[in-house]
Amino acid sequence: MRWWMLALLFFARIALGFQFQTAASVGGDLVTVFGIDYSDVGFLIGLFMVPGLFLALPAGAMGRYVSDRGLAFAGLSALALGGLVSGFGSGPVTIGLGRLVAGAGFLLSTLYFTKMIADWFEGREISTAMSILVMSWPFGIAMGQVGHAYLADLQDWRLPFVVASLYCAAAAAGVLLFYRAPAGRKAVQGANSTRLSRRELHLILLAGTAWGVFNAGYVAYLSFAPHRLEELGHPALQAAAVVSVASWIMIASGAVCGQIVDRFNHRNLVLIVCMTAAVVSLWLMGISGAGVAASLLFGLVGMAPAGVIMALAGEAVAPARRAFGMGIFFTVYYAIMAAAPPLAGWIFERSGTAGAPLVFGMILFACVVPAALAFRFVKTGERAVTSREDGQ
């Protein structure tokens, strides 16, 4: 049953990336129709992430009163509504309002999808399950990159928002009709608590930090690796194509990495190897002729442990407090994601070369390892204390 639930939530979570990609895919049309510039388009894209910084903790606390299925349904419904508001908007302000509504739905959906998979796979292949779930996001973005441009050419810029909203609505209906909580978890639902122990708080903060810097490093790669290749003489389209190779490969490599960790353990070793590969990949981007090799290494190895890192959130907090713990986890994630990209942009402007923000990306990826090692140290200490108490 748990694999059926994972499949359901995977296809439902594709909606998040599919809706997110709309503004980026029709950005050129918005510039033409409304007379805005590309910085305004970037602002509209970024609005999608703003609600998460403020709503993650309240969303986690809501798990005390509403079922996971109900909250995931509400999140997907907000994604559908936000897309329609943007799609039928009369200007940038209305489109931005729709992006905020959709962003709130994104936060609610991704928080409870993560919790639902953690509940189903607790102690059993959780790294594999999280890896598969996490890859639904780039899958949805890739779908949008291909589909939204076609839809916009077929009619106009509004159609991609409408189609994405229809997908979100179908996903909401699917979750509402077919999702079932694991046996024994329904009783816990009504007892959800916001009182984390000190160790749980430390663990969830470390997990959120690891996930935040990992994703911030990925954004640095996506944002500045193409510029670095252009500095080395690659045409813009070729540079973008080379960098995109990693995003396609990581969809498969993430699931493989999760399976390796679940079968053979050695989580820390896997993370050290993968983050070393990520750092080396960004360094190779600065060497003429090494762009394709760097992108392949980044997608095959560097980004492979996404689900392994996300699985830390499921390990950090007991089931009765997991919803609120996820709220803290995503608050840390959004705080890092709000600060790191502007800092990378500032580094780029000050240095005058894309190599400098890529060095910043290397530092971000390197920070994943101490955060994960500290997580495992605290977790191991907790087990040791529990064992001593049980022996008394």
Side-chain angles (χ1 to χ4, degrees):
M1 176 64 82
R2 67 186 191 278
W3 295 106
W4 285 109
M5 293 298 104
L6 175 59
L8 171 66
L9 296 183
F10 177 89
F11 285 106
R13 196 172 181 269
I14 287 173
L16 280 61
F18 197 46
Q19 186 66 273
F20 171 78
Q21 184 60 29
T22 48
S25 294
V26 303
D29 295 325
L30 297 180
V31 168
T32 301
V33 172
F34 297 110
I36 61 177
D37 57 34
Y38 280 97
S39 64
D40 296 321
V41 174
F43 180 73
L44 291 174
I45 294 170
L47 282 176
F48 195 86
M49 294 294 180
V50 170
L53 188 59
F54 305 98
L55 298 181
L57 276 178
M62 288 171 65
R64 298 186 66 186
Y65 311 104
V66 185
S67 70
D68 297 344
R69 180 176 63 176
L71 289 166
F73 170 78
L76 290 165
S77 299
L79 276 161
L81 176 61
L84 291 176
V85 171
S86 293
F88 290 103
S90 57
V93 173
T94 315
I95 295 172
L97 176 61
R99 296 290 287 177
L100 286 172
V101 174
F106 168 78
L107 175 275
L108 203 58
S109 301
T110 198
L111 191 158
Y112 281 94
F113 281 171
T114 306
K115 179 186 180 296
M116 289 149 86
I117 291 301
D119 287 346
W120 268 104
F121 286 85
E122 184 176 11
R124 298 182 299 174
E125 298 175 299
I126 189 169
S127 294
T128 301
M130 285 295 186
S131 297
I132 294 171
L133 182 72
V134 167
M135 290 306 113
S136 62
W137 168 255
F139 190 92
I141 289 176
M143 258 177 53
Q145 288 173 325
V146 176
H148 292 332
Y150 170 78
L151 292 169
D153 288 340
L154 188 66
Q155 186 170 329
D156 60 17
W157 65 270
R158 300 180 187 275
L159 187 58
F161 285 102
V162 174
V163 171
S165 293
L166 290 175
Y167 189 101
C168 293
V175 169
L176 184 66
L177 292 173
F178 301 114
Y179 179 77
R180 297 293 180 269
R185 196 63 79 218
K186 293 180 181 178
V188 174
Q189 184 68 50
N192 275 335
S193 172
T194 59
R195 296 182 179 180
L196 273 61
S197 69
R198 181 175 295 181
R199 278 197 181 87
E200 286 176 329
L201 179 60
H202 290 165
L203 288 169
I204 204 68
L205 289 174
L206 289 167
T209 299
W211 184 238
V213 295
F214 178 80
N215 280 275
Y218 179 48
V219 170
Y221 168 83
L222 291 176
S223 302
F224 298 103
H227 292 295
R228 186 58 175 150
L229 292 178
E230 289 177 46
E231 290 173 355
L232 295 174
H234 292 262
L237 287 177
Q238 184 186 72
V242 168
V243 170
S244 70
V245 168
S247 295
W248 288 102
I249 294 175
M250 62 185 279
I251 294 174
S253 66
V256 173
C257 182
Q259 187 65 211
I260 290 171
V261 168
D262 282 330
R263 285 178 177 269
F264 305 107
N265 206 339
H266 303 301
R267 285 173 170 78
N268 292 337
L269 178 60
V270 167
L271 284 176
I272 290 169
V273 170
C274 290
M275 292 306 94
T276 300
V279 170
V280 171
S281 299
L282 269 60
W283 173 72
L284 286 174
M285 280 292 170
I287 298 178
S288 181
V292 173
S295 188
L296 286 171
L297 179 63
F298 190 73
L300 282 171
V301 186
M303 290 301 295
V308 176
I309 299 169
M310 175 66 89
L312 298 177
E315 296 182 51
V317 182
R321 297 178 290 279
R322 186 168 285 150
F324 187 70
M326 289 293 178
I328 297 174
F329 174 84
F330 281 105
T331 298
V332 175
Y333 161 77
Y334 279 109
I336 293 172
M337 288 294 289
L343 180 56
W346 179 82
I347 292 171
F348 182 38
E349 291 178 357
R350 295 284 292 182
S351 66
T353 173
L358 286 181
V359 171
F360 177 58
M362 296 179 205
I363 295 170
L364 289 168
F365 280 121
C367 288
V368 173
V369 173
L373 291 176
F375 179 95
R376 198 56 55 193
F377 176 80
V378 174
K379 188 75 173 175
T380 303
E382 179 183 25
R383 288 173 183 161
V385 170
T386 302
S387 297
R388 286 197 299 268
E389 290 175 348
D390 290 343
Q392 289 177 353

